[in-house]
Amino acid sequence: MKYRHSFHAGNFADVHKHVALLALVSTLEQKEKGFLYLETHAGRGAYDLGNAAENAESRTGIDRLGDDVSSEELTRYLGVVRAFRARQRNPRAYPGSPLIVAQALRPQDRAVLIERVATEAQALERAVAEYPRVRVECADGFERLRAYLPPAERRGLVLIDPPYEESRRDGERAADAIVEALRRFPTGVIVVWYPIKHARDSESWLAALAPRISREALVSELWLYPRDSRAALNGSGLLIVNPPYRTDERMREWLPQLCRHLDTRGTGGTSVRPLISAAGKKAPGRG
Ligand SMILES: C[S@@+](CC[C@H](N)C(=O)[O-])C[C@H]1O[C@@H](n2cnc3c(N)ncnc32)[C@H](O)[C@@H]1O
């Protein structure tokens, strides 16, 4: 396996995913009852963007965000990144999704983080050692998903974030994982990240998935390059099944703002649209 998230940490796709994730956790915490956060592809948790050779991608991501962000979601995310950097005493440290969530958990919440590569899982153990409500497992996240669902709390957020090294296979496994997660836990909030290399491919992946999901589902996309250009990664997509109340409304405010910060060439854009509307019907076209 060649994929190492260190090369991509803090890039525009990470920022998109992590702002959305933190916003979802904050919404879940508006209710007192605890929840399970389950992540199938967790990575090593903490990254150092100080190594310029490894981390050039953060220049199109976190490095473009400064004090001029305005929405509450972007401000909260930047606050988490800055607090992490202060704790690490490293101005170039970057928190992966496990740490973005771990620092937000309350005593009644818990997290299970799955990572298949042993060295990454060991680093993750160290990165979350200070959080007693967080457990790390070194295993295949697609395989282990079903072992944790439904959670005893009957509230939960699942993040499925594969590397897409083998794009088609990870896409198929991610789609099957969503269907299986919903079969076991129909009310769970399930978030899947997908790459936009060519819009035609991501659109057909979504179209094939839609009839297999009978719950409300929201698509959130951010692209920095035209979605049919030959850049390695043109855009970042999130499918959010069972989105909490007002997720779409809030996202329509913060996502275009995020795009304005990241898109310095004027070739980018955003889309927030239902894949399946709240009424359970497949929504027509793009919104
Ligand atoms: C995109 S990275 C995760 C990034 C992380 N979610 C974040 O946002 O900070 C994908 C991770 O999945 C791991 N991985 C690959 N295949 C896996 C599998 N089948 N099960 C669990 N982890 C896997 C890789 O080693 C890599 O660390």
Side-chain angles (χ1 to χ4, degrees):
M1 184 184 297
K2 294 189 299 298
Y3 185 90
R4 276 180 57 207
H5 195 65
S6 312
F7 287 100
H8 311 291
N11 70 3
F12 76 95
D14 251 13
V15 174
H16 175 213
K17 172 179 61 186
H18 294 160
V19 175
L21 187 60
L22 187 61
L24 288 168
V25 168
S26 305
T27 306
L28 285 180
E29 292 186 347
Q30 284 169 10
K31 286 196 182 147
E32 200 46 40
K33 192 166 169 21
F35 63 87
L36 168 71
Y37 174 70
L38 175 62
E39 180 162 354
T40 56
H41 296 70
R44 59 190 293 117
Y47 300 90
D48 183 359
L49 307 182
N51 183 343
E54 276 202 1
N55 292 109
E57 287 190 26
S58 66
R59 288 185 209 136
T60 62
I62 182 65
D63 296 354
R64 288 193 177 155
L65 295 187
D67 290 328
D68 52 342
V69 300
S70 50
S71 77
E72 81 189 61
E73 285 81 1
L74 297 181
T75 306
R76 194 185 299 129
Y77 161 76
L78 260 191
V80 169
V81 174
R82 285 175 176 163
F84 180 73
R85 289 177 165 173
R87 274 202 310 283
Q88 300 276 311
R89 295 197 184 85
N90 177 359
R92 298 293 292 152
Y94 185 74
S97 46
L99 283 157
I100 299 261
V101 175
Q103 60 78 38
L105 295 181
R106 307 163 300 176
Q108 64 268 45
D109 308 320
R110 67 189 171 105
V112 174
L113 310 170
I114 307 172
E115 166 59 49
R116 188 168 71 180
V117 175
T119 48
E120 299 293 280
Q122 285 154 11
L124 181 58
E125 290 258 14
R126 292 192 292 276
V128 297
E130 68 184 284
Y131 299 102
R133 308 283 296 158
V134 178
R135 173 172 163 194
V136 175
E137 192 178 322
C138 183
D140 184 320
F142 288 127
E143 297 283 329
R144 293 295 292 154
L145 177 87
R146 57 179 71 94
Y148 292 101
L149 300 179
E153 296 88 343
R154 299 278 158 176
R155 295 188 76 213
L157 170 60
V158 179
L159 174 63
I160 301 172
D161 184 21
Y164 294 91
E165 254 182 315
E166 298 170 66
S167 280
R168 186 180 291 268
R169 173 138 173 79
D170 270 352
E172 284 167 4
R173 291 192 87 190
D176 290 346
I178 300 167
V179 173
E180 176 65 7
L182 284 173
R183 195 179 68 76
R184 291 177 170 267
F185 184 31
T187 57
V189 180
I190 299 170
V191 182
V192 184
W193 183 85
Y194 58 88
I196 304 175
K197 293 180 178 167
H198 200 298
R200 193 185 49 211
D201 297 335
S202 45
E203 290 296 325
S204 65
W205 180 77
L206 289 169
L209 180 59
R212 303 177 67 196
I213 302 177
S214 53
R215 311 289 302 191
E216 182 182 357
L218 183 70
V219 168
S220 167
E221 294 185 339
L222 164 70
W223 59 95
L224 295 190
Y225 308 96
R227 284 166 300 165
D228 54 0
S229 66
R230 285 182 174 272
L233 183 68
N234 294 319
S236 161
L238 291 170
L239 177 67
I240 305 169
V241 185
N242 291 320
Y245 180 60
R246 292 186 67 220
T247 298
D248 53 345
E249 191 183 316
R250 293 297 315 152
M251 205 171 255
R252 285 194 181 98
E253 186 176 321
W254 67 256
L255 190 59
Q257 283 183 24
L258 176 61
C259 186
R260 280 195 287 279
H261 287 282
L262 303 184
D263 177 27
T264 52
R265 299 151 53 108
T267 50
T270 63
S271 170
V272 179
R273 61 187 191 274
L275 178 69
I276 301 165
S277 70
K281 294 201 176 87
K282 189 168 177 293
R286 153 184 313 281

